[in-house]
Amino acid sequence: PRVIMFKVSPLKQSTITALVLAPIGVAIVLLLPTSALSVFTGLTVVIGLWEWTRMAGFTSRPLRSAAVAIVVLLLVALWWLRNEPLAWYLIAAGVAWWLVATLWLRNFSFGAAPTRENAAIKFLAGLLATIPAWIALSKLHAEPHRGPAWALLALVLVWGADTAAYFTGKRFGKAKLAPQISPNKTIAGVYGALGCGALIAAVAGWLLDLRGIALVALIALALLTVVASVIGDLFESLVKRQAGVKDSGNLFPGHGGMFDRLDGVFAALPVFALGKALLDLAFAP
């Protein structure tokens, strides 16, 4: 008998994967307690850093395993310290790291040589990209007043902006954002991402009973969060280009690996969590 093969386009495969993953992600954030959410997201960090060690230039599997094992121990230790001031210091360090990453993007040849020193620098960069984001999401989710809703908003901002950037860039994109790093990203896509982020924040803020200047401040924070997500996406693209790989892995059909799915989220979460904490202080009754 003749076997008929159906070829699925990359866009269709990517869409199917997204439609499967999105409801699962929403359910996890809204239904799980913070402890279970932290375990689940900690697992995504571990998988992402396993992929990252390969892109960073770790060629030895035992060395990669040892590095990831250290990360697991670090996550466990930080969970017990989550209510200490250290947690906020690490979140602030995550925000500061992405400011440093913008300088790396401007000097995109830095760290390109496959040396042990550069591999160590990139591994440290991976830690600064992921650990603060994990803590930030846990902090948002654990807030006594609508914590899961705020955590979901942070994620939806990135998901929505990423989707808007793709379709806006595909329709209107001519001028490239960073052609030497990621040829497919366009300036029009960034505008689409910012517009979508502002709209999501306006609607979500209204539903969360924010009005007036507080709502305007949330929209401004959303724009900063979207900018951070773009930087995170570009930085992973830079590391992949230096490593000579298309994707961080092949875990998700049409979407690549775990880090491919979370690069923007990793950058956005510390910015959103720290910004929201500052807004809470500013608008506290």
Side-chain angles (χ1 to χ4, degrees):
R2 189 174 64 177
V3 178
I4 300 176
M5 301 294 291
F6 293 95
K7 185 177 181 181
V8 180
S9 69
L11 177 59
K12 182 177 292 186
Q13 188 179 53
S14 178
T15 302
I16 293 171
T17 303
L19 290 175
V20 172
L21 293 178
I24 295 174
V26 172
I28 287 171
V29 173
L30 294 182
L31 301 180
L32 290 183
T34 301
S35 57
L37 175 79
S38 297
V39 171
F40 180 84
T41 53
L43 179 61
T44 67
V45 166
V46 170
I47 295 173
L49 283 173
W50 171 258
E51 297 171 346
W52 183 265
T53 55
R54 178 176 68 96
M55 295 189 296
F58 286 38
T59 56
S60 166
R61 184 174 286 266
L63 181 59
R64 293 175 65 195
S65 300
V68 171
I70 292 172
V71 171
V72 173
L73 295 176
L74 181 61
L75 292 177
V76 172
L78 290 175
W79 170 254
W80 292 108
L81 298 172
R82 66 190 181 280
N83 294 322
E84 301 297 326
L86 174 64
W88 285 110
Y89 293 146
L90 288 173
I91 291 172
V95 175
W97 154 247
W98 290 110
L99 294 175
V100 173
T102 60
L103 300 177
W104 193 333
L105 291 174
R106 292 175 63 87
N107 185 21
F108 51 82
S109 62
F110 176 78
T115 65
R116 290 183 178 180
E117 292 78 10
N118 287 338
I121 291 172
K122 288 178 181 177
F123 180 63
L124 177 60
L127 293 179
L128 289 171
T130 56
I131 302 298
W134 175 75
I135 299 172
L137 185 62
S138 297
K139 279 290 192 183
L140 284 168
H141 195 270
E143 287 194 1
H145 184 62
R146 296 178 173 175
W150 284 108
L152 182 61
L153 173 57
L155 296 172
V156 170
L157 278 173
V158 181
W159 297 341
D162 192 42
T163 303
Y166 175 81
F167 286 104
T168 306
K170 197 173 182 63
R171 177 65 178 85
F172 303 105
K174 293 182 180 178
K176 301 297 184 181
L177 177 63
Q180 292 176 300
I181 298 173
S182 183
N184 293 328
K185 292 180 177 59
T186 64
I187 294 176
V190 174
Y191 288 143
L194 291 171
C196 183
L199 180 60
I200 290 172
V203 173
W206 187 268
L207 294 175
L208 290 166
D209 299 323
L210 296 184
R211 300 293 185 270
I213 189 64
L215 181 59
V216 173
L218 177 64
I219 294 172
L221 175 59
L223 295 177
L224 289 175
T225 302
V226 170
V227 169
S229 74
V230 173
I231 294 171
D233 196 345
L234 282 174
F235 185 72
E236 197 221 359
S237 295
L238 172 62
V239 174
K240 287 192 295 186
R241 182 166 289 272
Q242 291 182 348
V245 298
K246 181 179 181 295
D247 296 315
S248 66
N250 55 7
L251 187 62
F252 304 113
H255 283 267
M258 184 68 75
F259 219 105
D260 293 320
R261 287 299 81 218
L262 298 178
D263 49 9
V265 172
F266 286 146
L269 283 173
V271 172
F272 187 84
L274 185 61
K276 182 186 178 300
L278 294 175
L279 292 181
D280 287 345
L281 292 174
F283 297 104

